Amino acid sequence: MPCGSVSSKPMREFALSHRKDSPIRLGIRSFSSDNGDLVDAVVPFMGESITDGTLAKFLKEPGDSVKVDEPIAQVETDKVTIDVASPEAGVIKKFVAKEGDTVEPGTKIAVISKSGDGVEHVAPSEKQKSDKHAPQTTPPPEKKKVDEQKLKADNAVVKEKPKAPSPPPPTRASATEPVLPPKERERRVPMTRLRKRVATRLKDSQNTFALLTTFNEVDMTNLMKLRSEYKDAFVEKHGVKLGLMSGFVKAAVSGLQNQPIVNAVIDGDDIIYRDYIDISIAVGTPKGLVVPVIRNADKMNFAEIEKEINTLAKKATDGTISIDEMAGGSFTISNGGVYGSLLSTPIINPPQSAILGMHSIVSRPMVVGGNVVPRPMMYIALTYDHRLIDGREAVFFLRRIKDVVEDPRRLLLDI
């Protein structure tokens, strides 16, 4: 046996004794410490319907200390943003992926040192590659001599070569032309996966559905009075503020129960009637539009609805909402009024058949009992799939919303 192999055999047996189950990983961990000091941070499972995502950004830097399950990076999918957590407490040694990479569940993005000791190790192949591209400050004497002779020969050729006519100088721009071309004042930013998904779904909605919108206006006097009178007692008992959204959710539930076709959907040549009411609430976030779902809204009271809305809205804003909390939904409510929208035509969220648009409350002169008085008024809009829902059902549904919001006592008396 050659002498050179004597020292390598015990090392191999030592490694195999610690990693009997997977000897092939010897090459992958060849520069880890003997006690398994380095661990990998990998992309977690992202959901049944999500196969990959984009590594949006790192939340830490190499050399930063991390705790167990502390997020070190974020992966953006077409539905939600997923955190990549550190599997162990320690120090980030290096990143093995970069921002903008497409990653799948199980993809390694970082290496964590549990002890925090040592420096980043470089594999021999990587070291040779880096040495190959590194500039040589002191070339060998033989190579230096050859390079000098070649440089003298090139200079001689350049001197003998006739001069080419110099190109004409560029014409000066006139005083009326902009100093910077328009393209130099533009920025090209790739669309996020969430924005791509929203764009695709909304365009599919426009291409598939026969969209039609009907409008009405609601006198908000009684609902606002109800909230004003009971807001303190409501907070004291339920620990959450009484808002206007819960009133519209309850009104929508009543309308869907009166007009079940609005809660249905077309599937091929069939109509699927849903015996449940899951209402989606459109929430605008800095990263894009998300639509969390209030499950079984028909079985919830005002307090339960307000609590659920607050919880889902906070998760959506923080980016911690899960895919399950946005899946499904049989009807959507979009409140553009919080941004000051006076009137709009909302677009259906597939695979639903209708969406209710709320708008800002504006004090307008209204005729009440023969007298002109100021009233807090809101325009409401219902966009629906005219292939399934006729104008009659759509108008009746919107009228029910108006009746319940203007007189919430109807809910108590079921009239």
Side-chain angles (χ1 to χ4, degrees):
M1 181 178 295
C3 295
S5 62
V6 174
S7 61
S8 63
K9 184 176 179 181
M11 187 180 296
R12 187 181 301 114
E13 290 176 350
F14 176 81
L16 289 173
S17 66
H18 285 71
R19 300 299 302 273
K20 291 179 181 178
D21 57 333
S22 182
I24 196 171
R25 292 183 60 85
L26 208 64
I28 299 176
R29 291 280 186 161
S30 58
F31 293 94
S32 299
S33 60
D34 293 340
N35 60 355
D37 176 59
L38 302 184
V39 293
D40 298 336
V42 301
V43 177
F45 176 71
M46 297 184 287
E48 294 291 343
S49 60
I50 299 178
T51 58
D52 59 21
T54 301
L55 183 56
K57 65 177 179 179
F58 286 106
L59 305 177
K60 298 286 185 178
E61 297 289 340
D64 289 352
S65 299
V66 290
K67 301 176 182 178
V68 179
D69 295 332
E70 182 178 0
I72 62 175
Q74 289 183 338
V75 176
E76 189 178 74
T77 71
D78 56 6
K79 295 182 180 179
V80 293
T81 299
I82 307 293
D83 286 336
V84 180
S86 173
E88 298 283 350
V91 175
I92 298 177
K93 301 304 295 181
K94 63 177 180 178
F95 293 139
V96 294
K98 60 181 183 295
E99 294 182 358
D101 285 354
T102 299
V103 294
E104 300 176 352
T107 301
K108 181 171 72 172
I109 68 165
V111 177
I112 311 295
S113 172
K114 292 188 288 184
S115 66
D117 296 332
V119 296
E120 179 179 337
H121 298 288
V122 181
S125 59
E126 296 176 0
K127 191 173 186 298
Q128 292 172 3
K129 187 176 180 181
S130 62
D131 292 344
K132 183 179 179 182
H133 292 284
Q136 296 183 356
T137 56
T138 57
E142 296 83 2
K143 188 175 186 301
K144 184 177 180 181
K145 193 172 184 180
V146 172
D147 290 342
E148 288 177 354
Q149 293 175 355
K150 187 178 179 182
L151 181 60
K152 290 179 180 179
D154 292 342
N155 290 338
V157 172
V158 170
K159 288 179 180 178
E160 294 175 1
K161 188 175 181 181
K163 267 189 176 182
S166 58
T171 57
R172 289 177 61 95
S174 63
T176 58
E177 294 180 2
V179 178
L180 295 176
K183 288 187 178 180
E184 294 188 17
R185 294 197 300 270
E186 298 175 351
R187 290 182 296 113
R188 182 181 294 271
V189 179
M191 291 177 67
T192 62
R193 283 178 171 257
L194 178 59
R195 176 53 57 190
K196 287 181 184 177
R197 182 63 174 171
V198 170
T200 300
R201 286 177 63 84
L202 295 183
K203 188 57 183 174
D204 289 344
S205 172
Q206 193 178 47
N207 294 339
T208 303
F209 299 148
L211 299 175
L212 190 62
T213 305
T214 184
F215 303 92
N216 213 317
E217 59 182 355
V218 178
D219 187 342
M220 299 293 294
T221 301
N222 290 330
L223 185 60
M224 294 175 68
K225 182 180 179 182
L226 178 71
R227 184 180 67 168
S228 177
E229 290 179 354
Y230 293 100
K231 62 180 181 180
D232 295 335
F234 193 86
V235 171
E236 183 178 353
K237 181 174 182 179
H238 301 291
V240 65
K241 293 182 179 179
L242 176 60
L244 298 178
M245 182 60 77
S246 57
F248 276 89
V249 171
K250 295 293 289 184
V253 167
S254 179
L256 294 171
Q257 290 172 337
N258 287 356
Q259 302 294 331
I261 193 66
V262 181
N263 201 44
V265 66
I266 292 178
D267 183 24
D269 294 331
D270 300 326
I271 299 175
I272 298 177
Y273 287 90
R274 296 159 170 146
D275 295 329
Y276 59 90
I277 297 177
D278 291 349
I279 294 186
S280 305
I281 304 295
V283 178
T285 70
K287 294 184 178 180
L289 181 70
V290 295
V291 192
V293 181
I294 302 175
R295 310 285 180 189
N296 299 313
D298 52 320
K299 300 177 182 178
M300 301 172 70
N301 57 31
F302 279 81
E304 292 169 335
I305 292 173
E306 289 291 352
K307 289 178 181 179
E308 188 70 5
I309 290 175
N310 286 352
T311 300
L312 294 174
K314 187 177 185 302
K315 286 184 177 181
T317 303
D318 295 342
T320 58
I321 193 166
S322 67
I323 297 173
D324 293 338
E325 290 172 320
M326 294 190 296
S330 58
F331 182 78
T332 296
I333 299 178
S334 175
N335 186 7
V338 296
Y339 307 112
S341 173
L342 180 64
L343 190 62
S344 67
T345 56
I347 190 168
I348 296 174
N349 178 30
Q352 301 173 12
S353 296
I355 178 173
L356 175 68
M358 298 168 54
H359 300 92
S360 58
I361 301 173
V362 179
S363 181
R364 298 203 306 270
M366 303 296 295
V367 178
V368 179
N371 299 318
V372 178
V373 294
R375 290 284 190 172
M377 303 298 296
M378 174 193 290
Y379 288 120
I380 56 175
L382 179 73
T383 299
Y384 58 97
D385 185 1
H386 206 2
R387 300 176 305 162
L388 176 66
I389 304 170
D390 292 332
R392 174 178 175 272
E393 285 80 10
V395 172
F396 282 171
F397 175 85
L398 210 56
R399 281 291 311 214
R400 182 61 183 174
I401 299 286
K402 175 182 172 66
D403 291 342
V404 171
V405 172
E406 290 186 343
D407 189 0
R409 294 174 298 180
R410 289 176 177 271
L411 294 174
L412 179 65
L413 301 175
D414 192 22
I415 57 174

